Coordinates of all heavy atoms in Angstrom, one line a residue:
M1 N 0.9 -1.2 0.1 CA 0.0 0.0 0.0 C 1.0 1.3 0.0 O 1.8 1.3 0.7 CB -0.9 -0.1 1.3 CG -1.6 1.3 1.5 SD -2.7 1.2 2.9 CE -4.2 1.2 2.2
I2 N 0.5 2.2 -0.8 CA 1.3 3.5 -0.8 C 0.9 4.3 0.3 O -0.3 4.5 0.6 CB 1.0 4.2 -2.2 CG1 1.5 3.3 -3.3 CG2 1.7 5.5 -2.1 CD1 1.3 3.9 -4.6
K3 N 1.9 4.8 1.1 CA 1.6 5.7 2.2 C 2.3 6.9 1.9 O 3.4 7.0 1.3 CB 2.2 5.0 3.5 CG 1.5 3.7 3.7 CD 2.2 3.1 5.1 CE 1.5 1.7 5.3 NZ 2.1 1.1 6.4
R4 N 1.8 8.0 2.5 CA 2.4 9.3 2.3 C 3.0 9.7 3.7 O 2.4 9.5 4.8 CB 1.4 10.4 2.0 CG 1.0 10.2 0.5 CD 0.0 11.4 0.2 NE -0.3 11.3 -1.3 CZ -0.7 12.2 -2.0 NH1 -0.8 13.4 -1.5 NH2 -1.0 12.1 -3.2
I5 N 4.1 10.3 3.6 CA 4.8 10.8 4.8 C 5.6 12.0 4.4 O 6.2 12.1 3.3 CB 5.7 9.7 5.4 CG1 6.4 10.1 6.7 CG2 6.7 9.2 4.4 CD1 7.1 8.9 7.5
R6 N 5.7 13.0 5.4 CA 6.5 14.1 5.1 C 7.7 14.0 6.1 O 7.5 13.6 7.3 CB 5.7 15.3 5.5 CG 4.7 15.7 4.5 CD 4.0 17.0 4.7 NE 3.0 17.2 3.8 CZ 2.1 18.0 3.8 NH1 2.0 18.8 4.9 NH2 1.2 18.2 2.8
I7 N 8.9 14.2 5.6 CA 10.1 14.2 6.3 C 10.7 15.6 6.3 O 11.2 16.0 5.2 CB 11.0 13.1 5.9 CG1 10.4 11.6 6.1 CG2 12.3 13.0 6.6 CD1 11.0 10.6 5.5
A8 N 10.7 16.2 7.3 CA 11.4 17.6 7.4 C 12.9 17.3 7.8 O 13.1 16.6 8.7 CB 10.8 18.4 8.5
I9 N 13.8 18.0 7.0 CA 15.1 18.0 7.2 C 15.7 19.4 7.2 O 15.5 20.1 6.3 CB 15.9 17.2 6.2 CG1 15.3 15.7 6.2 CG2 17.5 17.1 6.4 CD1 15.9 14.8 5.3
D10 N 16.5 19.8 8.3 CA 17.2 21.0 8.4 C 18.6 20.8 8.0 O 19.3 20.1 8.8 CB 16.9 21.5 9.8 CG 17.6 22.9 10.0 OD1 18.2 23.5 9.0 OD2 17.7 23.4 11.1
H11 N 19.1 21.5 7.0 CA 20.5 21.3 6.6 C 21.4 22.4 7.2 O 21.5 23.5 6.6 CB 20.6 21.4 5.0 CG 19.9 20.2 4.3 ND1 18.5 20.3 4.0 CD2 20.3 19.1 3.9 CE1 18.2 19.3 3.4 NE2 19.2 18.5 3.4
G12 N 21.8 22.2 8.3 CA 22.7 23.1 9.0 C 24.0 22.9 8.5 O 24.4 22.0 7.7
N13 N 25.0 23.9 8.9 CA 26.4 23.7 8.5 C 27.1 22.8 9.5 O 28.1 22.2 9.2 CB 27.0 25.1 8.4 CG 26.8 25.8 7.2 OD1 26.9 25.3 6.1 ND2 26.0 26.9 7.4
R14 N 26.6 22.7 10.6 CA 27.2 21.7 11.7 C 26.4 20.5 11.8 O 27.0 19.4 11.9 CB 27.2 22.4 13.1 CG 27.9 21.5 14.1 CD 28.5 22.4 15.1 NE 29.3 21.5 16.1 CZ 30.5 21.3 15.9 NH1 31.2 21.7 14.8 NH2 31.2 20.5 16.6
N15 N 25.1 20.5 11.8 CA 24.3 19.3 12.0 C 23.2 19.2 11.0 O 22.7 20.2 10.5 CB 23.7 19.3 13.4 CG 24.7 19.1 14.5 OD1 25.6 18.3 14.4 ND2 24.5 19.9 15.6
I16 N 22.8 18.0 10.7 CA 21.5 17.8 9.9 C 20.6 17.3 11.0 O 20.8 16.5 11.8 CB 21.7 16.5 8.9 CG1 22.8 16.8 7.9 CG2 20.4 16.2 8.3 CD1 22.5 17.8 6.8
K17 N 19.3 17.9 10.9 CA 18.3 17.7 12.0 C 17.1 17.2 11.3 O 16.6 17.8 10.3 CB 18.1 19.0 12.7 CG 19.4 19.4 13.5 CD 19.3 20.9 14.0 CE 19.5 22.0 12.9 NZ 20.8 22.3 12.4
T18 N 16.5 16.1 11.9 CA 15.2 15.7 11.4 C 14.3 15.7 12.8 O 14.8 16.1 13.8 CB 15.3 14.2 10.9 OG1 15.6 13.3 11.9 CG2 16.3 14.1 9.7
V19 N 13.1 15.3 12.6 CA 12.2 15.3 13.8 C 12.8 14.5 14.9 O 12.7 14.8 16.1 CB 10.8 14.8 13.4 CG1 9.9 14.8 14.6 CG2 10.2 15.8 12.4
H20 N 13.4 13.4 14.6 CA 13.8 12.4 15.7 C 15.3 12.2 15.8 O 15.8 11.6 16.7 CB 13.2 10.9 15.4 CG 11.7 11.0 15.4 ND1 11.0 10.9 14.3 CD2 10.8 11.0 16.4 CE1 9.6 10.9 14.6 NE2 9.6 11.0 15.9
T21 N 16.1 12.8 14.8 CA 17.6 12.7 14.9 C 18.3 13.9 14.6 O 17.8 14.9 14.1 CB 18.0 11.7 13.7 OG1 17.7 12.1 12.5 CG2 17.4 10.3 14.0
V22 N 19.5 13.9 15.1 CA 20.5 15.0 14.9 C 21.9 14.3 14.7 O 22.2 13.5 15.4 CB 20.6 16.0 16.0 CG1 21.8 17.0 15.7 CG2 19.3 16.7 16.3
F23 N 22.4 14.6 13.5 CA 23.8 14.1 13.3 C 24.7 15.1 12.6 O 24.2 16.0 11.9 CB 23.7 12.7 12.5 CG 22.9 12.8 11.2 CD1 23.8 12.8 10.1 CD2 21.7 12.7 11.1 CE1 23.0 12.9 8.8 CE2 20.9 12.7 10.0 CZ 21.7 12.9 8.8
T24 N 26.0 14.9 12.8 CA 26.9 15.9 12.2 C 27.0 15.8 10.6 O 26.8 14.8 10.1 CB 28.4 15.5 12.8 OG1 28.3 15.5 14.1 CG2 29.4 16.5 12.4
T25 N 27.3 17.0 10.0 CA 27.4 16.9 8.6 C 28.6 16.4 8.1 O 29.3 17.1 7.3 CB 27.2 18.5 8.1 OG1 28.3 19.2 8.7 CG2 25.8 19.0 8.4
G26 N 29.1 15.3 8.5 CA 30.2 14.6 8.0 C 29.8 13.3 7.3 O 28.9 12.6 7.8
I27 N 30.6 13.0 6.3 CA 30.3 11.8 5.6 C 31.5 11.3 4.9 O 32.2 12.1 4.3 CB 29.1 12.0 4.6 CG1 28.5 10.6 4.1 CG2 29.5 12.8 3.4 CD1 27.1 10.6 3.6
S28 N 31.8 10.0 5.0 CA 33.0 9.4 4.3 C 32.5 8.4 3.3 O 31.6 7.7 3.5 CB 33.9 8.9 5.3 OG 33.4 7.9 6.1
E29 N 33.3 8.2 2.3 CA 32.9 7.4 1.2 C 33.8 6.1 1.1 O 34.9 6.3 1.4 CB 33.1 8.1 -0.1 CG 32.8 7.3 -1.4 CD 33.0 8.1 -2.7 OE1 32.5 9.2 -2.8 OE2 33.7 7.6 -3.6
S30 N 33.3 5.0 0.7 CA 34.1 3.8 0.7 C 33.6 2.9 -0.4 O 32.4 2.9 -0.8 CB 34.1 3.0 2.0 OG 34.8 1.8 1.9
D31 N 34.5 2.0 -1.0 CA 34.1 1.2 -2.0 C 33.7 -0.2 -1.3 O 33.0 -1.1 -2.0 CB 35.3 0.9 -3.0 CG 35.5 2.0 -3.8 OD1 34.7 2.8 -4.2 OD2 36.8 2.2 -4.2
M32 N 34.0 -0.4 -0.1 CA 33.7 -1.6 0.6 C 32.6 -1.4 1.7 O 32.5 -0.3 2.3 CB 34.9 -2.1 1.4 CG 36.0 -2.5 0.4 SD 37.6 -2.9 1.2 CE 37.1 -4.1 2.4
S33 N 31.8 -2.3 1.9 CA 30.8 -2.3 2.9 C 31.3 -2.2 4.3 O 32.3 -2.9 4.6 CB 29.9 -3.6 2.8 OG 28.9 -3.6 3.8
P34 N 30.7 -1.3 5.1 CA 31.3 -1.1 6.5 C 31.0 -2.4 7.4 O 30.1 -3.2 6.9 CB 30.6 0.1 7.0 CG 29.3 0.2 6.2 CD 29.6 -0.4 4.9
G35 N 31.6 -2.4 8.4 CA 31.4 -3.6 9.5 C 30.0 -3.6 9.9 O 29.2 -2.7 9.8
R36 N 29.6 -4.7 10.5 CA 28.3 -5.0 11.0 C 28.0 -3.9 12.2 O 28.9 -3.6 13.0 CB 28.2 -6.4 11.6 CG 26.9 -6.7 12.3 CD 26.9 -8.2 12.8 NE 26.9 -9.1 11.6 CZ 26.9 -10.3 11.7 NH1 26.9 -10.8 12.9 NH2 27.0 -11.0 10.7
G37 N 26.8 -3.5 12.3 CA 26.4 -2.6 13.4 C 26.7 -1.1 13.0 O 26.4 -0.3 13.8
I38 N 27.2 -0.8 11.8 CA 27.5 0.6 11.5 C 26.5 1.1 10.5 O 26.2 0.5 9.5 CB 29.0 0.6 10.8 CG1 30.1 0.3 11.8 CG2 29.3 2.1 10.3 CD1 31.4 0.2 11.3
D39 N 26.0 2.2 10.8 CA 25.0 2.9 9.9 C 25.7 3.4 8.7 O 26.8 3.9 8.7 CB 24.3 4.1 10.6 CG 23.3 3.8 11.7 OD1 22.9 2.7 11.7 OD2 23.0 4.8 12.4
Y40 N 25.0 3.0 7.5 CA 25.6 3.5 6.3 C 24.6 3.6 5.2 O 23.4 3.1 5.4 CB 26.8 2.5 5.8 CG 26.2 1.1 5.4 CD1 25.8 0.9 4.0 CD2 26.0 0.1 6.2 CE1 25.3 -0.3 3.6 CE2 25.5 -1.2 5.8 CZ 25.1 -1.3 4.5 OH 24.7 -2.5 4.0
L41 N 24.8 4.2 4.1 CA 24.0 4.5 3.0 C 24.7 3.8 1.8 O 25.9 4.1 1.5 CB 23.8 6.0 2.8 CG 23.0 6.3 1.4 CD1 21.6 5.9 1.6 CD2 23.2 7.9 1.3
E42 N 24.1 3.1 1.0 CA 24.6 2.5 -0.2 C 23.9 3.2 -1.3 O 22.7 3.2 -1.4 CB 24.3 1.0 -0.3 CG 25.0 0.4 -1.6 CD 24.8 -1.0 -1.7 OE1 24.2 -1.7 -0.7 OE2 25.2 -1.7 -2.7
Y43 N 24.8 3.9 -2.2 CA 24.2 4.8 -3.3 C 25.2 4.6 -4.5 O 26.4 4.9 -4.3 CB 24.0 6.1 -2.7 CG 23.5 7.1 -3.8 CD1 22.0 7.0 -4.2 CD2 24.3 8.0 -4.4 CE1 21.6 7.8 -5.1 CE2 23.8 8.8 -5.4 CZ 22.4 8.8 -5.7 OH 21.9 9.7 -6.7
N44 N 24.7 4.2 -5.6 CA 25.5 4.2 -6.8 C 26.7 3.4 -6.7 O 27.8 3.7 -7.1 CB 25.9 5.6 -7.3 CG 24.7 6.3 -8.0 OD1 23.7 5.7 -8.5 ND2 24.7 7.6 -8.3
G45 N 26.6 2.3 -6.0 CA 27.8 1.4 -5.9 C 28.8 1.8 -4.8 O 29.9 1.1 -4.7
K46 N 28.6 2.9 -4.1 CA 29.5 3.3 -3.1 C 28.7 3.1 -1.7 O 27.5 3.2 -1.6 CB 29.9 4.8 -3.3 CG 30.5 5.0 -4.6 CD 32.0 4.7 -4.5 CE 32.6 5.2 -5.8 NZ 34.1 4.9 -5.8
F47 N 29.6 3.3 -0.6 CA 29.0 3.1 0.7 C 29.4 4.5 1.4 O 30.6 4.8 1.4 CB 29.6 1.9 1.4 CG 29.2 0.6 0.9 CD1 30.0 0.1 -0.2 CD2 28.0 0.1 1.2 CE1 29.6 -1.2 -0.8 CE2 27.6 -1.2 0.6 CZ 28.4 -1.8 -0.4
Y48 N 28.4 5.0 2.0 CA 28.7 6.3 2.8 C 28.3 6.1 4.2 O 27.3 5.6 4.6 CB 27.8 7.4 2.2 CG 28.1 7.5 0.7 CD1 27.5 7.0 -0.4 CD2 29.2 8.5 0.2 CE1 27.8 7.1 -1.7 CE2 29.5 8.6 -1.1 CZ 28.8 8.0 -2.1 OH 29.1 8.1 -3.3
V49 N 29.3 6.5 5.0 CA 29.1 6.3 6.5 C 29.2 7.7 7.1 O 30.1 8.5 6.8 CB 30.3 5.5 7.1 CG1 30.2 5.3 8.6 CG2 30.4 4.1 6.4
P50 N 28.3 8.0 8.1 CA 28.3 9.2 8.7 C 29.6 9.4 9.4 O 30.1 8.4 10.0 CB 27.1 9.3 9.7 CG 26.4 8.0 9.3 CD 27.2 7.1 8.5
S51 N 30.1 10.7 9.6 CA 31.3 10.9 10.2 C 31.2 12.1 11.1 O 30.3 13.0 11.0 CB 32.4 11.3 9.1 OG 33.5 11.8 9.7
N52 N 32.0 12.1 12.2 CA 32.0 13.2 13.2 C 32.9 14.4 12.6 O 32.8 15.4 13.3 CB 32.5 12.8 14.5 CG 31.5 11.9 15.2 OD1 30.3 12.1 14.9 ND2 32.0 11.0 16.1
R53 N 33.5 14.2 11.6 CA 34.3 15.3 10.9 C 33.4 16.1 10.0 O 33.2 15.7 9.0 CB 35.5 14.7 10.3 CG 36.6 14.0 11.1 CD 37.8 13.7 10.5 NE 38.5 15.0 10.0 CZ 39.4 15.0 9.1 NH1 39.7 14.0 8.4 NH2 39.9 16.2 8.8
R54 N 33.0 17.3 10.5 CA 31.9 18.0 9.7 C 32.5 18.5 8.5 O 33.6 18.8 8.4 CB 31.2 19.0 10.6 CG 32.0 20.2 10.8 CD 31.2 21.1 11.7 NE 31.7 22.5 11.8 CZ 31.4 23.4 11.0 NH1 30.7 23.3 9.9 NH2 31.9 24.6 11.2
I55 N 31.5 18.8 7.5 CA 31.9 19.4 6.3 C 32.2 20.9 6.7 O 31.4 21.6 7.5 CB 30.8 19.3 5.2 CG1 30.6 17.8 4.9 CG2 31.1 20.1 4.1 CD1 29.3 17.6 4.0
L56 N 33.2 21.5 6.2 CA 33.5 23.0 6.4 C 32.3 23.8 5.8 O 31.6 23.4 4.9 CB 34.7 23.4 5.7 CG 36.0 22.7 6.2 CD1 37.2 23.2 5.4 CD2 36.2 23.1 7.7
Y57 N 32.2 25.0 6.4 CA 31.0 25.8 6.0 C 30.8 25.8 4.5 O 31.9 26.3 3.8 CB 31.2 27.3 6.6 CG 30.2 28.2 6.2 CD1 28.9 28.2 6.7 CD2 30.4 29.1 5.1 CE1 27.9 29.1 6.2 CE2 29.5 30.0 4.7 CZ 28.2 30.0 5.3 OH 27.2 30.9 4.8
Q58 N 29.6 25.7 4.1 CA 29.3 25.9 2.6 C 28.1 26.8 2.4 O 27.0 26.4 3.0 CB 29.0 24.5 1.9 CG 30.2 23.8 1.5 CD 29.8 22.5 0.8 OE1 29.6 21.5 1.3 NE2 29.7 22.7 -0.5
R59 N 28.2 27.9 1.8 CA 27.0 28.7 1.6 C 26.0 28.0 0.7 O 24.8 27.9 0.8 CB 27.4 30.1 1.1 CG 26.2 31.0 0.9 CD 26.7 32.4 0.5 NE 25.6 33.2 0.3 CZ 25.1 34.0 1.2 NH1 25.6 34.1 2.6 NH2 24.1 34.8 1.0
E60 N 26.6 27.4 -0.5 CA 25.9 26.8 -1.5 C 26.0 25.3 -1.2 O 26.9 24.7 -1.6 CB 26.4 27.1 -2.8 CG 25.7 26.5 -4.0 CD 24.2 26.7 -4.1 OE1 23.7 27.9 -3.9 OE2 23.5 25.7 -4.1
K61 N 24.9 24.8 -0.7 CA 25.0 23.2 -0.3 C 24.7 22.3 -1.5 O 24.8 21.1 -1.4 CB 24.0 23.0 0.8 CG 24.5 23.6 2.0 CD 23.6 23.3 3.2 CE 24.2 24.0 4.5 NZ 23.7 25.2 4.9
T62 N 24.5 22.8 -2.7 CA 24.4 22.0 -3.9 C 25.6 22.0 -4.7 O 25.5 21.5 -5.9 CB 23.1 22.4 -4.7 OG1 23.3 23.7 -5.2 CG2 21.8 22.3 -3.9
A63 N 26.6 22.6 -4.2 CA 28.0 22.5 -4.9 C 28.5 21.2 -5.3 O 29.1 21.0 -6.3 CB 29.0 23.3 -4.2
D64 N 28.3 20.3 -4.4 CA 28.6 18.9 -4.6 C 27.5 17.9 -4.0 O 26.5 18.5 -3.5 CB 30.0 18.5 -4.1 CG 30.2 18.8 -2.6 OD1 29.2 18.4 -1.9 OD2 31.2 19.2 -2.2
Q65 N 27.7 16.6 -4.0 CA 26.6 15.7 -3.6 C 26.6 15.4 -2.2 O 25.8 14.7 -1.7 CB 26.6 14.5 -4.5 CG 27.7 13.6 -4.3 CD 27.5 12.3 -5.0 OE1 26.8 12.0 -5.8 NE2 28.5 11.3 -4.7
R66 N 27.5 15.9 -1.3 CA 27.5 15.6 0.0 C 26.3 15.8 0.8 O 25.9 15.0 1.5 CB 28.8 16.2 0.8 CG 30.1 15.6 0.2 CD 31.3 16.2 0.8 NE 31.3 17.6 0.5 CZ 32.2 18.5 0.9 NH1 33.2 18.1 1.7 NH2 32.1 19.8 0.5
F67 N 25.7 17.0 0.6 CA 24.5 17.4 1.4 C 23.3 16.5 0.8 O 22.4 16.2 1.6 CB 24.2 18.9 1.5 CG 25.0 19.5 2.5 CD1 26.2 20.1 2.2 CD2 24.5 19.7 3.7 CE1 26.9 20.8 3.2 CE2 25.2 20.3 4.8 CZ 26.5 20.8 4.5
F68 N 23.3 16.1 -0.5 CA 22.3 15.3 -1.0 C 22.4 13.9 -0.4 O 21.5 13.3 0.1 CB 22.5 15.2 -2.5 CG 21.6 14.1 -3.1 CD1 20.2 14.2 -3.3 CD2 22.1 13.0 -3.5 CE1 19.4 13.3 -3.8 CE2 21.4 12.0 -4.2 CZ 19.9 12.1 -4.3
L69 N 23.6 13.3 -0.2 CA 23.8 12.1 0.5 C 23.3 12.2 2.0 O 22.7 11.3 2.5 CB 25.2 11.7 0.4 CG 25.7 11.4 -1.0 CD1 27.3 11.2 -1.2 CD2 25.0 10.1 -1.6
L70 N 23.6 13.3 2.6 CA 23.3 13.5 4.0 C 21.7 13.5 4.2 O 21.1 13.0 5.1 CB 23.9 14.7 4.6 CG 25.4 14.6 4.9 CD1 26.0 16.0 5.1 CD2 25.6 13.6 6.0
T71 N 21.1 14.1 3.1 CA 19.7 14.2 3.1 C 19.1 12.8 3.0 O 18.1 12.4 3.7 CB 19.1 15.0 1.9 OG1 19.7 16.3 2.0 CG2 17.7 15.0 1.8
L72 N 19.7 11.9 2.1 CA 19.2 10.5 2.0 C 19.4 9.8 3.3 O 18.5 9.0 3.7 CB 20.0 9.8 0.8 CG 19.7 10.3 -0.6 CD1 20.5 9.5 -1.6 CD2 18.2 10.3 -1.0
L73 N 20.5 10.1 4.0 CA 20.7 9.3 5.3 C 19.7 9.9 6.2 O 19.1 9.0 7.1 CB 22.1 9.7 5.7 CG 22.7 9.0 6.9 CD1 22.7 7.5 6.5 CD2 24.1 9.4 7.1
G74 N 19.3 11.1 6.3 CA 18.4 11.6 7.2 C 17.0 11.1 6.9 O 16.2 10.6 7.8
I75 N 16.6 10.9 5.6 CA 15.4 10.2 5.2 C 15.4 8.8 5.8 O 14.4 8.3 6.3 CB 15.1 10.2 3.7 CG1 14.9 11.7 3.3 CG2 14.0 9.3 3.2 CD1 15.0 11.9 1.8
A76 N 16.5 8.0 5.5 CA 16.6 6.6 5.8 C 16.4 6.5 7.4 O 15.7 5.6 8.0 CB 17.8 6.0 5.5
K77 N 17.0 7.4 8.1 CA 16.9 7.3 9.7 C 15.5 7.6 10.1 O 15.1 6.9 11.0 CB 17.9 8.3 10.3 CG 19.3 8.0 10.2 CD 20.2 9.1 10.8 CE 21.7 8.8 10.8 NZ 22.0 8.1 12.0
E78 N 14.8 8.6 9.6 CA 13.4 8.8 9.9 C 12.5 7.6 9.6 O 11.6 7.3 10.3 CB 12.9 10.0 9.2 CG 13.3 11.3 9.9 CD 12.9 11.5 11.2 OE1 11.6 11.4 11.5 OE2 13.7 11.7 12.2
L79 N 12.7 7.0 8.4 CA 11.9 5.8 8.0 C 12.1 4.7 8.9 O 11.1 3.9 9.2 CB 12.2 5.5 6.5 CG 11.7 6.4 5.6 CD1 12.1 6.1 4.1 CD2 10.3 6.6 5.5
E80 N 13.3 4.5 9.4 CA 13.6 3.4 10.3 C 12.8 3.6 11.7 O 12.5 2.7 12.3 CB 15.1 3.3 10.6 CG 16.0 2.7 9.5 CD 17.4 2.6 9.9 OE1 17.9 3.4 10.6 OE2 18.1 1.7 9.3
L81 N 12.7 4.8 12.0 CA 12.1 5.1 13.4 C 10.6 5.2 13.3 O 10.0 5.4 14.3 CB 12.7 6.4 13.9 CG 14.2 6.4 14.3 CD1 14.7 7.7 14.6 CD2 14.4 5.4 15.4
N82 N 10.0 5.2 12.1 CA 8.6 5.4 11.9 C 7.9 4.2 12.1 O 8.0 3.2 11.4 CB 8.3 6.0 10.4 CG 6.9 6.4 10.3 OD1 6.0 5.8 10.8 ND2 6.7 7.5 9.6
P83 N 6.9 4.1 13.2 CA 6.3 2.8 13.5 C 5.2 2.4 12.3 O 4.8 1.3 12.3 CB 5.6 3.1 14.8 CG 5.4 4.6 14.8 CD 6.7 5.1 14.1
N84 N 4.9 3.4 11.5 CA 3.8 3.1 10.4 C 4.5 2.5 9.2 O 3.8 2.1 8.3 CB 3.1 4.4 10.1 CG 2.3 5.0 11.2 OD1 1.7 4.2 12.0 ND2 2.4 6.3 11.3
I85 N 5.7 2.5 9.1 CA 6.4 1.8 8.0 C 6.7 0.5 8.4 O 7.3 0.2 9.4 CB 7.7 2.6 7.7 CG1 7.5 4.2 7.4 CG2 8.5 2.0 6.5 CD1 6.6 4.4 6.1
E86 N 6.3 -0.5 7.4 CA 6.5 -1.9 7.7 C 7.5 -2.4 6.8 O 7.7 -1.9 5.8 CB 5.2 -2.6 7.7 CG 4.1 -2.1 8.6 CD 2.7 -2.8 8.4 OE1 2.6 -3.6 7.5 OE2 1.8 -2.3 9.1
K87 N 8.1 -3.6 7.2 CA 9.0 -4.2 6.2 C 8.2 -4.6 5.0 O 7.1 -5.1 4.9 CB 9.4 -5.6 6.9 CG 10.9 -6.0 6.5 CD 11.3 -7.2 7.3 CE 12.8 -7.2 7.2 NZ 13.3 -8.2 8.1
G88 N 8.8 -4.3 3.9 CA 8.1 -4.6 2.6 C 7.5 -3.2 2.0 O 7.2 -3.2 0.9
D89 N 7.3 -2.3 2.8 CA 6.8 -0.9 2.3 C 7.8 -0.2 1.4 O 7.4 0.5 0.5 CB 6.3 0.0 3.4 CG 5.1 -0.5 4.2 OD1 4.4 -1.2 3.5 OD2 4.8 0.0 5.2
L90 N 9.1 -0.5 1.8 CA 10.1 0.2 1.0 C 11.0 -0.8 0.3 O 11.1 -2.0 0.8 CB 11.0 0.9 2.0 CG 10.4 1.9 2.9 CD1 11.4 2.4 3.9 CD2 9.9 3.1 2.1
I91 N 11.5 -0.4 -0.9 CA 12.3 -1.4 -1.6 C 13.6 -0.8 -1.7 O 13.9 0.3 -1.9 CB 11.7 -1.5 -3.1 CG1 10.3 -2.2 -3.1 CG2 12.6 -2.4 -3.9 CD1 9.5 -2.4 -4.2

């Protein structure tokens, strides 16, 4: 069943904030899957892991894809915490 959900994300220069999470605007890229128990995002054949080393101040956050990847990570974190989303709702 298709469900509608709104996910608010605040793209700060120090933190990404959603309704239920706050995490640093740092992200590292790897070709290999991270170890078990580590949060990561798989996108276009790469693995992205949140990092505590924040991105330096950027006035224009669309200059590269890092803030886009952080947005996807924020969406994933919110969907994981949403009790209305069941296994199989997302592909």
Side-chain angles (χ1 to χ4, degrees):
M1 170 181 246
I2 297 175
K3 298 177 182 176
R4 289 185 175 204
I5 182 171
R6 289 188 181 159
I7 299 175
I9 299 179
D10 178 6
H11 296 86
N13 283 299
R14 180 158 190 83
N15 292 316
I16 299 290
K17 297 164 283 288
T18 68
V19 172
H20 298 102
T21 64
V22 175
F23 57 97
T24 304
T25 60
I27 195 160
S28 59
E29 178 183 311
S30 175
D31 291 327
M32 296 172 48
S33 176
R36 181 179 290 179
I38 297 176
D39 286 343
Y40 70 92
L41 171 71
E42 185 177 355
Y43 180 74
N44 280 344
K46 301 275 186 181
F47 298 91
Y48 299 92
V49 178
S51 165
N52 288 333
R53 295 189 65 203
R54 77 179 191 88
I55 298 170
L56 295 177
Y57 173 78
Q58 280 187 265
R59 183 175 180 90
E60 179 56 52
K61 293 186 174 95
T62 60
D64 59 41
Q65 71 172 10
R66 291 179 295 179
F67 278 92
F68 171 69
L69 294 167
L70 289 165
T71 301
L72 293 179
L73 194 58
I75 291 169
K77 286 176 178 272
E78 281 296 307
L79 290 175
E80 283 181 338
L81 295 170
N82 189 319
N84 297 320
I85 303 295
E86 299 171 5
K87 211 172 203 177
D89 287 341
L90 305 171
I91 298 174

